[in-house]
Amino acid sequence: MSTDSCHHCRLPIPPADAIIDRIDGQELRFCCQGCRSVYRIISGAGLGTYYEKRQLSRSGLPAGTVQDTYDDAYLSGFVSERHGKGELSFLIEGIRCASCVWLVERYVGSLAGVSEIRLNYGTHRGRVVFDPLAVSPGAIFAAVARLGYTPRPFSYDAARQAEEREQRTTLIRFGTACFLSMQLMGYSLALYAGYFQGIDPASRTLMQYFAALVTTPVVFYSGWPFLRGALRSLRTRTANMDLLIALGVLSAYGASLFALYGGGEVYFDTAAMIVTLILAGRLFEGSARRRAASGVDRLLRLTPEIAHREIGTTTEVVATGSLRIGDILLVRPGERLPVDGTILAGSTEIDEAAVSGEPLPVLRIAGDPVTAGTLNLSASVRVQVTAPAADSFVARVARLVEEAQSRRAPVQRLADRVAALFVPLVVLVAGATFSYWIWAAGTVDPLLAAVAVLVIACPCALGLATPTAVLVATGASAERGILFRGGDVLEGTARLTLAAFDKTGTLTEGKPKIAAIRPLAGSEEDLLNLVARAEGGSNHPLAKCIVAEARRRGLESGDGGGIRTLPGLGVELDLEEGMLRVGSRRFLQQAGIGGMDPFSGEALTEIHAALGDRYLGSILCEDTLRPEAADAVARLRRLGIGTAILTGDTVEAARSIGDRLGIDEVHGALSPGDKAEWVKNAMARGERVLMVGDGINDAPALSEADVGCAMAGGTDIALETSDLVLTRPDLTTLVAGVEVARRTLGIIRQNLFWAFAYNILALPLAAAGELAPIHAAAAMAASSICVVGNSLRLKNL
Amino acid sequence: MHSSTLILIILSLFLGTGVWLVFIWAVKKGEFDDIEGAKYRMLEDDLPPTRQGEDVDEKSPFP
């Protein structure tokens, strides 16, 4: 009794909705039957420690669809067989924390016939191994759904398998390089000690042979990606980092082999360390970039895989992909629309937030179009299919995203651009050195001097210049709520010249708030009290904001009893004084009530109230601006970044927001393709565009832009298709992200300076034949330490 | 001197190779795929051995 929040999901419980249950001698309160059922399942399965382990950052249940049946025939298509066991991969929506992973694994793992289940915390993908004779795929999915999560079958296509194989191979190459380089350093230490203190010639030769033994696999196995890249670079006649790396590595290795038989100094440690350190940098960069590719997957998973098609007087479950134009579907409350269609019968309210980002449910009646991926809220409806699954709105957006992602050339790395100039210079210097010493015919071996030049050009520090700065910057930024998805995103963010914003949920809160209360007579509290009584039982966002305001002012709200809801119009409640009507202007006009003010034209939502035939007044609600939006826009302008608004809303609504924020360029009534087209045109004009949004109608523009930025709380699709994610819904974090990126670019340039300073000092010494291997190694280490140390300065952002 | 040094070097190479093989086995087994979940897994307690499949099914309110 002391708490009015649900024991399972921690949401506040409207008093009339409380469900009290006695479980294990305790009286517990829940907000709905779903939470009570899930709690019983969790307790019954002996998994009560779920409540101790979970760390909810947001209360509430996952927003997935309610799907009460999983078709075994359909799911069988995703099951692969291995050693008599079935294996099924799936994607689970609604995973929030490690407790969710734990709960699903324990509960599904306890089903009879399930021998193994593993859920990946980071990607929300799982794999279950089961006995097909003891349990069916449908039963496994139903078990997951009973806990409140939404499972979806998931199949690894060839491209994804190849990608994962490549990832593991890279990790193995790096591990191999690390192990062998550690062995190598033991031998090199002996050789360096011998250089200072003297060493027995036989022992020296032995160490050199062992060094050669362990260096060979580092160079040719771990370093194979660089060698292959260098070959490609030579074939296309363009110099890049791989060519620079290969030149240094092969020069050091070749010279060392030569010295092994000729009795000179060896550079095996140089060759191995180049490969190891640069491979480490590539590994760090690669893991960040891989996440960006999963956005299209999430987009295509937004629509359900099965649909209920009417056949005569009954319905059958069919795969969504098999639907044809003209089919008639039954869509029940809590289900998502599987395809685009038109409502044939019935009326309902649809949550289109996942598709458009608009926060309010929309009334749809017979004849209205509906969009795949939207969530049916109120009532069952019959829908006629107007486009097959492959041509639905969501599928078209997914294709736009894929086109944008493939068309966009990756930002050329600064290091690669530098290497393109550096490689010819180094080769030229080496050639000149060789020629000079041939001509001088004196104290220095021409070949050794030329090789020393190539070895000294080894780009250890150059290769570390960018990855170390990016690694430190992305780590420090993440602590401040800014997630950069890769180093190229950092470089792109630093160069932005134009920021385009979506409106709802990005510049505005996405939650309605009361802007004004206009009673015709009497006080604001009187009007608010009456309206709150009528709206108390509703879950509509507008109703929620009215009830919240009433509570804030200490007024009572109704419990929903006796209220009749008219979808899209309003509510009715019989009182002693007469019938209380609260709702839209049209609602009151239909009831014959006059006296309302003309429409003001402001971008506000009006809620009118009448008692009997007497008009009482209106309450205006607005989707309020984020409090920090104006400040963020002003700061972006001071950074030299222009601003624009791109929205699917009307031009008037967008201009109203733009005027208040000081954004001059405003474009309204845009489709997802229009937004992407606008971004593309701006980039064609030479602008570096940042797109900020939160809905999947922003996904194509987010992919098309130089940098796509998603707001926290936006749809999963927007989050996954963007390069930059703000984990807190605060636009000033975006400005901080730009500042961090610019500072990081400065650090990278400083790192490159240190790298080149090393080369500029060392090259003449090498050319003169004055540089011994020990000095070269020490200088290289010093240069790398400078680069890493400089990068660490980014920790103090 | 030489023979003992040689033995030590070869021994360290074999030990290192063993560790390297364990590393490769771990990568191929997928141990490095989910680096985020691992830090939570260590907090999990094993279930009491008496609770196994059939027992759980009997307790479940939704058979």
Side-chain angles (χ1 to χ4, degrees), chain A residues 371-412:
Chain A
T371 307
T374 54
L375 182 65
N376 184 17
L377 290 176
S378 301
S380 291
V381 286
R382 295 171 67 232
V383 174
Q384 185 169 47
V385 177
T386 56
D391 288 328
S392 69
F393 173 82
V394 169
R396 278 183 276 117
V397 169
R399 277 198 294 275
L400 284 170
V401 171
E402 272 175 337
E403 287 170 13
Q405 283 182 346
S406 61
R407 174 172 46 247
R408 182 163 66 137
V411 177
Q412 192 187 14

Side-chain angles (χ1 to χ4, degrees), chain A residues 294-317:
Chain A
S294 65
V296 171
D297 258 358
R298 295 292 193 99
L299 202 39
L300 292 172
R301 304 298 174 186
L302 188 60
T303 52
E305 284 83 10
I306 59 174
H308 303 276
R309 178 166 64 189
E310 287 193 357
I311 302 291
T313 57
T314 182
T315 61
E316 61 173 358
V317 176

Side-chain angles (χ1 to χ4, degrees), chain A residues 596-651:
Chain A
M596 285 174 283
D597 299 332
F599 184 65
S600 63
E602 296 178 63
L604 302 171
T605 304
E606 299 180 348
I607 300 173
H608 297 273
L611 186 57
D613 57 3
R614 181 165 54 93
Y615 179 64
L616 297 178
S618 63
I619 297 180
L620 303 184
C621 295
E622 66 179 346
D623 188 8
T624 59
L625 281 178
R626 293 188 183 276
E628 79 283 355
D631 178 52
V633 170
R635 286 171 62 187
L636 285 176
R637 233 191 328 265
R638 282 199 296 273
L639 290 173
I641 298 178
T643 51
I645 294 178
L646 311 178
T647 180
D649 267 356
T650 62
V651 177

Side-chain angles (χ1 to χ4, degrees), chain A residues 8 97 179 234-235 251 315 323 342 375 378 410 439 532-533 603 605 715 773 776:
Chain A
H8 178 73
C97 63
F179 155 62
L234 286 176
R235 217 174 284 129
S251 299
T315 61
L323 295 173
T342 301
L375 182 65
S378 301
W439 171 79
R533 288 181 64 182
T605 304
T715 63

Side-chain angles (χ1 to χ4, degrees), chain A residues 753-775:
Chain A
F753 168 80
W754 288 119
F756 281 115
Y758 158 75
N759 281 298
I760 288 169
L761 290 178
L763 274 178
L765 291 176
E770 296 295 338
L771 207 53
I774 184 64
H775 302 134

Side-chain angles (χ1 to χ4, degrees), chain A residues 155-167 290 293 402:
Chain A
S155 61
Y156 285 95
D157 54 18
R160 187 170 307 277
Q161 288 176 16
E163 181 187 323
E164 292 202 356
R165 219 164 23 238
E166 182 64 26
Q167 174 185 346
R290 257 192 310 276
E402 272 175 337

Side-chain angles (χ1 to χ4, degrees), chain A residues 53 102 106 121 168 176, chain B residues 20 28 33-34 44 47:
Chain A
K53 288 179 183 294
W102 179 89
R106 290 306 179 107
Y121 179 81
R168 289 185 177 183
T176 302
Chain B
W20 175 69
K28 288 188 181 298
D33 286 355
D34 184 14
E44 293 177 11
L47 290 173

Side-chain angles (χ1 to χ4, degrees), chain A residues 503-587:
Chain A
K503 181 177 73 66
T504 307
T506 304
L507 293 174
T508 67
E509 298 273 1
K511 294 190 189 70
K513 285 182 179 171
I514 292 182
I517 303 178
R518 299 178 175 174
L520 208 59
S523 68
E524 289 186 358
E525 276 72 22
D526 290 340
L527 177 60
L528 186 60
N529 192 11
L530 280 174
V531 174
R533 288 181 64 182
E535 300 277 20
S538 174
N539 277 322
H540 196 283
L542 287 172
K544 282 179 179 172
C545 87
I546 288 175
V547 170
E549 177 70 11
R551 285 179 175 168
R552 196 179 66 81
R553 301 194 188 199
L555 305 173
E556 290 182 7
S557 62
D559 56 10
I563 288 178
R564 292 181 298 277
T565 300
L566 288 78
L569 291 175
V571 295
E572 292 177 342
L573 179 64
D574 286 316
L575 298 180
E576 294 176 9
E577 302 92 328
M579 176 176 289
L580 175 64
R581 291 188 177 91
V582 174
S584 66
R585 175 186 298 266
R586 181 162 63 125
F587 180 43

